[in-house]
């Protein structure tokens, strides 16, 4: 019994200490790191198509390019914070100067949703939390930072240095992918796979930055397991497939195709 009481007191102390921390930012909006996530369009596309046979993909115009998913402020051990300011809506006008670049490097691959759907989601869920940092305190700054980081840390280039290139011919051990990044950047990434036709396929690579926007290890970030000191969810019993991004009809053609199908249906 006394031991039990001691635990109870410790537990109470722990929670009360947690509650009295003074802060200018709401506690639930605090974060430790920013995760910068790039995704592999071929895998995003497969996932989207699996959700419905009616789905098609608007693939990036540059072949075999990684594209940006988002910049996510993160408290270690949680997936929070998110939606830090629900009145700060995404406004496409704010990013007009960079929209042509955004369409190249941060495209919405899910062709049946709005061009702005991904940006709007990233801004309201993550950008409004990142905005407590001066270098990210507007839409224009938030999205420009993503573009800068993709240019600087593009996974196509980083993996190519270790001869890891998109191909149908072979698969790569997770250790090799991880080590290529660690060797080039000096920090531990997170690597996410999806199962596609029973194969481990590369999906996302995440880099972590501290609040001074300096690269840092992703250790302690929620969700991923660890396998041979690689932060990953990829099934360790298989190597990883890194296929080419298949050419797909561009968004315009998809829209045209839908219009024509609709007209055909209408005039029949
Ligand atoms: C939330 O966003 C609105 C619109 O940009 C802004 O006026 C307001 O100051 C923000 N609130 C907080 C708590 O940052
Ligand atoms: C971020 O990392 C850099 C380099 O390691 C360090 O100098 C800086 O103090 C760190 N900033 C924060 C907020 O932790």
């Amino acid at each position: 019994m006394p031991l039990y009481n001691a635990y109870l007191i410790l537990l109470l102390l722990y929670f009360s200490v947690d509650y009295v921390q003074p802060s200018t930012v709401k506690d639930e909006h605090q974060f430790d790191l920013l995760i910068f996530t790039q995704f592999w369009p071929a895998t995003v596309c497969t996932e989207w198509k699996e959700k419905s046979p009616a789905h098609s993909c608007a693939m990036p115009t540059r072949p075999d390019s990684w594209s940006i998913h988002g910049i996510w402020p993160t408290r270690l051990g949680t997936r929070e914070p998110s939606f830090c300011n629900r009145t700060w809506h995404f406004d496409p006008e704010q990013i007009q100067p960079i929209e042509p670049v955004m369409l190249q490097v941060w495209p919405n691959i899910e062709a049946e949703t709005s061009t702005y759907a991904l940006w709007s989601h990233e801004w309201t869920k993550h950008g409004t939390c990142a905005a407590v940092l001066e270098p990210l305190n507007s839409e224009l700054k938030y999205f420009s930072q993503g573009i800068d980081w993709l240019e600087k840390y593009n996974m196509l280039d980083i993996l190519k240095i270790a001869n890891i290139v998109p191909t149908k011919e072979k698969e790569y051990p997770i250790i090799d992918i991880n080590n290529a990044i660690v060797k080039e950047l000096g920090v531990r990434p997170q690597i996410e796979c999806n199962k596609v036709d029973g194969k481990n396929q590369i999906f996302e690579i995440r880099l972590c930055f501290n609040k001074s926007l300096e690269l840092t290890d992703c250790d302690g970030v929620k969700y991923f397991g660890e396998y041979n000191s690689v932060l990953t969810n990829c099934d360790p019993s298989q190597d990883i497939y890194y296929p080419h991004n298949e050419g797909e009809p561009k968004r315009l053609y998809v829209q045209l195709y839908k219009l024509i199908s609709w007209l055909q249906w209408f005039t029949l």
Side-chain angles (χ1 to χ4, degrees), residues 1-15:
M1 272 306 137
L3 192 61
Y4 169 82
N5 281 334
Y7 271 129
L8 201 69
I9 287 162
L10 275 178
L11 207 69
L12 282 172
L13 269 176
Y14 174 78
F15 281 113

Side-chain angles (χ1 to χ4, degrees), residues 69-97:
H69 189 171
I71 300 174
W72 308 331
T74 302
R75 205 157 55 237
L76 296 180
T78 75
R79 302 195 91 181
E80 293 301 314
S82 58
F83 300 105
C84 295
N85 184 344
R86 291 195 182 262
T87 61
W88 200 347
H89 301 294
F90 175 74
D91 172 11
E93 259 183 40
Q94 302 299 316
I95 53 158
Q96 226 174 19

